[in-house]
Amino acid sequence: MELRQIRAFVVVADEASFTRAATRLNKVQSAVSASVRNLERQLGVELFERTTHHVHLTEAGRLFLPEARRTLAAAQEAQHVLEQLRGGLRGEVRLGLIQTPRHIVVQPALLIAEFRAQHPGVTVSVQAAGSVRHAEDLRRRRLDVAFVILPPEATAGLDLHVLASEKLQLLCRADHPLAERDQVELADLVDQPFIETPATWGNRLATDAAFARAGLTRKIAYEIGDAAGLASLVKHGLGIALGPMSFITEDEIRAVPLASDPPSLTLSLAVPAGHAVSAPAKALLETARELSEPTA
């Protein structure tokens, strides 16, 4: 067996497609198919069930997959050890970025800058998207580390390193009828026009889940993929929102606590669970830990 054959098998398993695997590996599909066929021939088993439109792991493939992942991880770790002996950590770490609260210490740009200063031989490639997309890319091993804001029910398959947590509150104009309340119930908000973040954002997931648990439905008037833009729409009286205090960028906006078990937004750095973390990814997490520690 060769590492390139094992890598081709793992990527096809992750993508459930020879076409997508070839794109990810930057190879022609026939080369990927040949690598997997040669691996199957050497092992004496079929690893995939192939149909015209679908590719599924066989029982043998499901048993072999975790061992294949461990083999690739061990080979990568051995390479990183040798690279460190030759003069420092090398390689690449693929990092997923989201819009993060302004007040947290571990801002993405600061993290990347500090990490690059510590490990100039490591390339940091970044991808900006919503937390749901990052979670799926981590599970499929398309990313090594990602900033995510996800409710607990959306974190399966991930290990989380928590950076900050905030409670959701009602965000409304200072002259809104609810602005002077000490607290509000979700039921008080169902007739209000809502300004929302996209469905792949952690804030939206938490809000949707809170209303679903309460058996309530709200009216979404606007959807915007920018926290400052959301605050601006609230400021101009176009609707209300649920969000953390860190979303507030305007003096005209008030935050009113939710009365019953308000959901939290937890910002974390996530890595795939159940897989060896590469040396560059471990180093990035260590840099984040150092930045998050309070200074004397």
Side-chain angles (χ1 to χ4, degrees):
M1 286 183 288
E2 299 179 10
L3 287 176
R4 63 180 178 83
Q5 296 172 329
I6 298 174
R7 184 172 294 108
F9 161 70
V10 169
V11 175
V12 173
D14 285 343
E15 299 293 341
S17 164
F18 280 91
T19 301
R20 290 193 296 272
T23 300
R24 181 170 155 189
L25 291 167
N26 197 27
K27 296 181 180 297
V28 297
Q29 183 176 332
S30 59
V32 176
S33 297
S35 289
V36 174
R37 282 292 188 195
N38 288 336
L39 179 61
E40 290 175 319
R41 192 175 300 113
Q42 292 170 27
L43 294 173
V45 296
E46 287 196 351
L47 299 171
F48 293 105
E49 296 175 359
R50 301 162 173 87
T51 66
T52 304
H53 300 292
H54 299 286
V55 176
H56 301 290
L57 285 167
T58 62
E59 181 62 24
R62 284 190 288 274
L63 291 172
F64 183 59
L65 182 58
E67 302 303 324
R69 292 193 194 280
R70 279 191 279 271
T71 298
L72 292 178
Q76 186 180 56
E77 188 64 24
Q79 181 181 353
H80 288 149
V81 168
L82 293 176
E83 287 171 345
Q84 286 181 283
L85 288 175
R86 291 198 297 265
L89 187 64
R90 297 185 183 279
E92 179 187 20
V93 60
R94 298 164 298 174
L95 175 64
L97 303 183
I98 61 173
Q99 285 196 38
T100 55
R102 292 168 292 124
H103 67 280
I104 69 159
V105 175
V106 188
Q107 287 292 331
L110 174 62
L111 173 60
I112 295 170
E114 184 65 23
F115 177 75
R116 290 283 293 135
Q118 295 176 3
H119 304 286
V122 178
T123 300
V124 180
S125 59
V126 299
Q127 170 184 298
S131 293
V132 172
R133 166 72 181 278
H134 286 337
E136 182 61 20
D137 284 344
L138 286 167
R139 296 184 189 105
R140 289 182 174 272
R141 310 288 285 171
R142 294 170 179 157
L143 289 175
D144 301 303
V145 186
F147 286 88
V148 297
I149 296 176
L150 293 169
E153 59 268 22
T155 60
L158 305 178
D159 285 334
L160 303 179
H161 302 258
V162 175
L163 300 174
S165 186
E166 291 185 272
K167 296 289 187 183
L168 291 187
Q169 301 190 59
L170 166 65
L171 307 181
C172 62
R173 272 175 59 106
D175 60 358
H176 192 280
L178 299 174
E180 299 304 320
R181 293 259 194 110
D182 292 332
Q183 58 185 18
V184 294
E185 299 281 358
L186 290 180
D188 298 329
L189 311 179
V190 293
D191 293 326
Q192 299 288 328
F194 262 80
I195 300 164
E196 266 297 354
T197 53
T200 57
W201 280 40
N203 192 83
R204 174 69 173 272
L205 292 176
T207 303
D208 286 348
F211 274 89
R213 285 193 298 269
L216 300 171
T217 302
R218 70 196 190 285
K219 301 182 297 184
I220 298 176
Y222 301 96
E223 186 177 285
I224 184 168
D226 177 75
L230 180 147
S232 181
L233 292 179
V234 172
K235 170 189 172 182
H236 286 89
L238 296 174
I240 64 169
L242 291 189
M245 285 286 291
S246 57
F247 272 21
I248 296 179
T249 58
E250 308 285 351
D251 292 338
E252 296 90 340
I253 298 176
R254 294 291 181 270
V256 183
L258 296 179
S260 304
D261 191 24
S264 294
L265 281 190
T266 300
L267 173 68
S268 306
L269 276 172
V271 296
H275 303 288
V277 179
S278 70
K282 286 180 183 176
L284 184 71
L285 292 174
E286 177 59 22
T287 301
R289 185 191 64 78
E290 293 170 358
L291 289 173
S292 64
E293 289 180 344
T295 56

